[in-house]
Amino acid sequence: MTITSGLRRKAVCALALATVGLTAAACSSSSSSSGGTTTSTSSAQAGGGGIKKGLLVYFIPKDTQNPYEVIADQGGKVVVSSGTADTAAAQIPSIQAAIQAHANAIVIAGNDPSALCPSLNQAARAGIKIVSFDSDVTCGSSPNHLFINQANTEQIGESEVSLLAAEIGGTGQIAILSAAASATNQNAWIGYMKQELTKYPNMKLVSTVYGNDDPATSLQVLQGLLSAYPNLRGIISPTTVGISTAAQYLDTHKSLLSHLTLTGLGLPSQMRKYVEDGTVAKFELWDPSNLGYLAGYAAASLASGLASLTPGSTFKAGPLGSYTVLAPAAGTGPSVVLGPPTVFTKANINQYHF
């Protein structure tokens, strides 16, 4: 698959501007595809303010087909490279390419918490600064990277359950339609969902299924859920691919809505139709372009010596403001948090266009 559209080129250019963090004297792009990996490149020059000029940053999303990742990748400079599958194996060639290219930084959304670590540790030893975003990696007790957390992990898990509980009266069987079984962020959110469910003794989690952020697989496991649990009252899908796939199915099977409620994490642009026609009442998300934008600033700041992994240290992220590095906690190394998620409803969804 080769991405050549003007929209994609603008997205990569926007990623470049965010990573250099200031003004751009030039911005150009090209696209190529080889061996199942889609790569887009851009170049830009920094206009001052301490960010080094000519930084080479590799952005490695979960895959190049996930619409959430495409939006998140609008925040840096850049070679945007990954496979078309949500696996660690699909991302490792991009890490190795960054090492061979003597990149200044890597920004990665990990498809596996540990399988990427040998390659990322090799990159760190080569002096490449590493930033994870969206889905973290856990590479040993010595922190070697900064995690850009889209929102407080505990808050996401708790709010997903409380949204659903309010809609179904805190009673009934529920299920989770997740992404990959190895996805760090999904598993962390699900862990906090289970903790939150202890507050609702009449809500029972009967199954967690995995659609691997693939529409066809998500539809298959969704149909399996509905067949296995005909009395299911609610589904939480903390993945943009999963929730949009489920919403599309429910939109064409309206009779299910008499007893079944869907919520989760989704893109307003994908979910608007389903909110407006009543298929979904509420869901939430942060602005993924800001997530990529913050990751770009973090990578550029680390590579320029303007940021560090020291808890309490700060760096500036342009119009997003100043961010403070948080101390390691609960299996997460040094991190910063973008901000709380937004709950989307029929009343506000037309205000958002990502």
Side-chain angles (χ1 to χ4, degrees):
M1 177 181 66
T2 302
I3 301 175
T4 58
S5 70
L7 177 63
R8 178 55 165 160
R9 287 174 178 167
K10 289 179 181 178
V12 174
C13 188
L15 187 65
L17 299 181
T19 300
V20 296
L22 296 159
T23 60
C27 185
S28 61
S29 65
S30 62
S31 299
S32 63
S33 179
S34 175
T37 298
T38 301
T39 303
S40 301
T41 62
S42 287
S43 61
Q45 281 189 312
I51 298 291
K52 290 182 178 179
K53 295 183 178 181
L55 293 177
L56 175 60
V57 179
Y58 270 64
F59 265 69
I60 307 174
K62 288 183 177 179
D63 63 68
T64 57
Q65 296 178 324
N66 185 328
Y68 167 84
E69 292 293 341
V70 170
I71 294 175
D73 293 345
Q74 291 178 13
K77 165 178 180 185
V78 147
V79 179
V80 180
S81 176
S82 194
T84 57
D86 274 20
T87 64
Q91 294 181 307
I92 289 173
S94 296
I95 299 172
Q96 293 299 321
I99 295 171
Q100 292 299 316
H102 303 288
N104 300 99
I106 290 172
V107 180
I108 187 166
N111 278 328
D112 186 282
S114 57
L116 296 168
C117 290
S119 293
L120 289 175
N121 287 337
Q122 181 184 356
R125 289 193 297 270
I128 299 173
K129 302 299 183 182
I130 299 170
V131 172
S132 63
F133 76 120
D134 182 44
S135 186
D136 197 15
V137 291
T138 52
C139 298
S141 57
S142 299
N144 66 352
H145 71 283
L146 182 66
F147 175 42
I148 309 300
N149 199 349
Q150 51 269 68
N152 180 279
T153 302
E154 182 176 359
Q155 183 182 43
I156 294 173
E158 292 177 348
S159 62
E160 291 284 272
V161 171
S162 62
L163 277 179
L164 182 59
E167 292 193 63
I168 67 174
T171 300
Q173 296 179 337
I174 71 167
I176 297 171
L177 169 55
S178 185
S182 61
T184 314
N185 57 348
Q186 299 281 311
N187 291 332
W189 297 333
I190 291 170
Y192 283 114
M193 288 181 203
K194 291 178 178 178
Q195 289 186 26
E196 184 69 8
L197 278 170
T198 62
K199 300 178 183 178
Y200 301 93
N202 294 323
M203 283 174 62
K204 181 181 179 182
L205 178 62
V206 295
S207 183
T208 300
V209 296
Y210 301 94
N212 297 325
D213 268 348
D214 173 72
T217 305
S218 297
L219 177 59
Q220 181 181 8
V221 296
L222 170 67
Q223 291 173 323
L225 266 181
L226 298 176
S227 176
Y229 302 98
N231 296 319
L232 200 63
R233 292 291 311 284
I235 296 174
I236 299 173
S237 186
T239 158
T240 59
V241 176
I243 193 174
S244 60
T245 299
Q248 183 178 19
Y249 183 82
L250 293 178
D251 194 48
T252 57
H253 296 76
K254 294 287 192 183
S255 62
L256 292 170
L257 298 177
S258 64
H259 65 86
L260 183 62
T261 295
L262 172 67
T263 191
L265 303 177
L267 291 166
S269 59
Q270 287 189 321
M271 298 297 293
R272 183 172 291 109
K273 173 183 184 296
Y274 307 116
V275 170
E276 291 178 342
D277 70 12
T279 301
V280 175
K282 296 179 180 181
F283 69 99
E284 60 185 359
L285 196 67
W286 45 91
D287 187 335
S289 62
N290 283 347
L291 181 65
Y293 199 72
L294 177 56
Y297 265 106
S301 297
L302 286 169
S304 301
L306 302 178
S308 75
L309 301 181
T310 303
S313 63
T314 63
F315 66 93
K316 293 181 179 179
L320 295 180
S322 180
Y323 284 82
T324 300
V325 177
L326 303 177
T332 299
S335 67
V336 298
V337 177
L338 174 64
T342 297
V343 176
F344 304 102
T345 67
K346 189 178 293 186
N348 70 355
I349 194 166
N350 285 321
Q351 300 172 23
Y352 301 91
H353 304 284
F354 56 86

